[in-house]
Amino acid sequence: MFEIIQSGGWMMIPIIICSVLAAAISSERFWTLRTSQIAPANLLGQVWGWMKSNQLDGARIKELRDNSPLGRVLAAGLMNSKHGRDIMKESIQEVASHEIHEMERYLNALGTIAAVAPLMGLLGTVIGMIKVFSEIMLAGTGQAGMLAGGISEALVTTAAGLSIAIPALICHRMLQRRVDEVVVFMEQESLKLVDVLHGEREVVDAPESQQPVGV
């Protein structure tokens, strides 16, 4: 393996760095964006229970805020519910935009790696072919061994760049999809809360919230 990497030339260094970064970002985001951590399915039902039993006080709101990103969104709405529906929705949107930004952290970097890695491989290919033609100009085409190094460098860097880009692109799409589904789920839960507190929806029993599909 080391011989293959070494045959790729100096362009293998940034490609390897990209592979390490892509693996680290993907692992961290898949762990961080777990549904149980971001938007617990039973959280709104728990809030309903507090409301029906008159236990919704400052301590409960603080507990809710410390629970998860969805909890912080719901807590923002609860703290501003007395100011009217519009103010409540604005406070929810402000907190939600911050939480969405946090959920999308590093995804741009992962997408950049997926786009840049093949270009690095292509650059390595070009450099390798330049070496091949330089050897041809100096020694002609009779020295196959002298040309093998440049050809090997061209092929190895191309393969390495694609090997990094393909899984990075797949992970980026999967993570972006997960964020989108969680955002929709959080929006639905917060709207239910707004409707209940402002008389457009009645609380009969704790609603059965559904987790985002595929998360």
Side-chain angles (χ1 to χ4, degrees):
M1 178 62 71
F2 178 75
E3 290 77 10
I4 295 176
I5 295 174
Q6 190 175 26
S7 67
W10 65 269
M11 274 304 300
M12 289 297 294
I13 296 175
I15 291 176
I16 291 174
I17 293 174
C18 284
S19 70
V20 173
L21 290 175
I25 292 172
S26 298
S27 300
E28 189 274 340
R29 286 291 89 186
F30 275 115
W31 176 258
T32 301
L33 295 177
R34 291 170 295 158
T35 303
S36 59
Q37 294 291 109
I38 300 295
N42 63 341
L43 187 60
L44 187 58
Q46 187 177 22
V47 174
W48 296 148
W50 292 341
M51 293 171 62
K52 292 173 68 175
S53 59
N54 295 320
Q55 295 179 348
L56 190 61
D57 53 13
R60 292 293 190 183
I61 291 178
K62 184 179 184 300
E63 178 184 344
L64 184 63
R65 189 167 56 242
D66 296 337
N67 178 277
S68 62
L70 175 59
R72 286 189 282 276
V73 171
L74 297 179
L78 290 170
M79 288 187 295
N80 291 275
S81 60
K82 61 184 178 181
H83 299 299
R85 180 185 178 89
D86 293 338
I87 299 298
M88 183 179 178
K89 290 184 67 175
E90 287 179 7
S91 64
I92 287 175
Q93 290 170 357
E94 289 175 2
V95 176
S97 63
H98 173 74
E99 296 301 331
I100 293 169
H101 177 74
E102 290 296 315
M103 286 189 287
E104 292 180 339
R105 179 183 293 182
Y106 307 130
L107 291 190
N108 283 339
L110 184 60
T112 300
I113 291 172
V116 168
L119 298 179
M120 289 183 177
L122 179 60
L123 178 58
T125 300
V126 173
I127 293 173
M129 295 309 297
I130 289 174
K131 290 183 178 180
V132 170
F133 285 108
S134 296
E135 295 293 340
I136 292 175
M137 290 178 61
L138 294 175
T141 58
Q143 301 292 331
M146 297 177 63
L147 305 180
I151 296 174
S152 175
E153 181 176 339
L155 296 177
V156 167
T157 54
T158 300
L162 292 174
S163 298
I164 302 306
I166 293 171
L169 180 60
I170 292 173
C171 289
H172 179 263
R173 294 292 178 86
M174 290 177 63
L175 289 167
Q176 190 63 62
R177 175 67 176 175
R178 177 171 295 192
V179 170
D180 292 341
E181 290 175 346
V182 170
V183 168
V184 171
F185 177 74
M186 291 172 65
E187 180 181 358
Q188 292 173 343
E189 298 294 272
S190 59
L191 285 177
K192 290 176 185 177
L193 180 65
V194 172
D195 290 344
V196 166
L197 292 178
H198 290 279
E200 297 182 14
R201 187 193 296 253
E202 293 184 0
V203 181
V204 179
D205 292 309
E208 297 182 356
S209 300
Q210 297 181 349
Q211 294 184 356
V213 177
V215 181

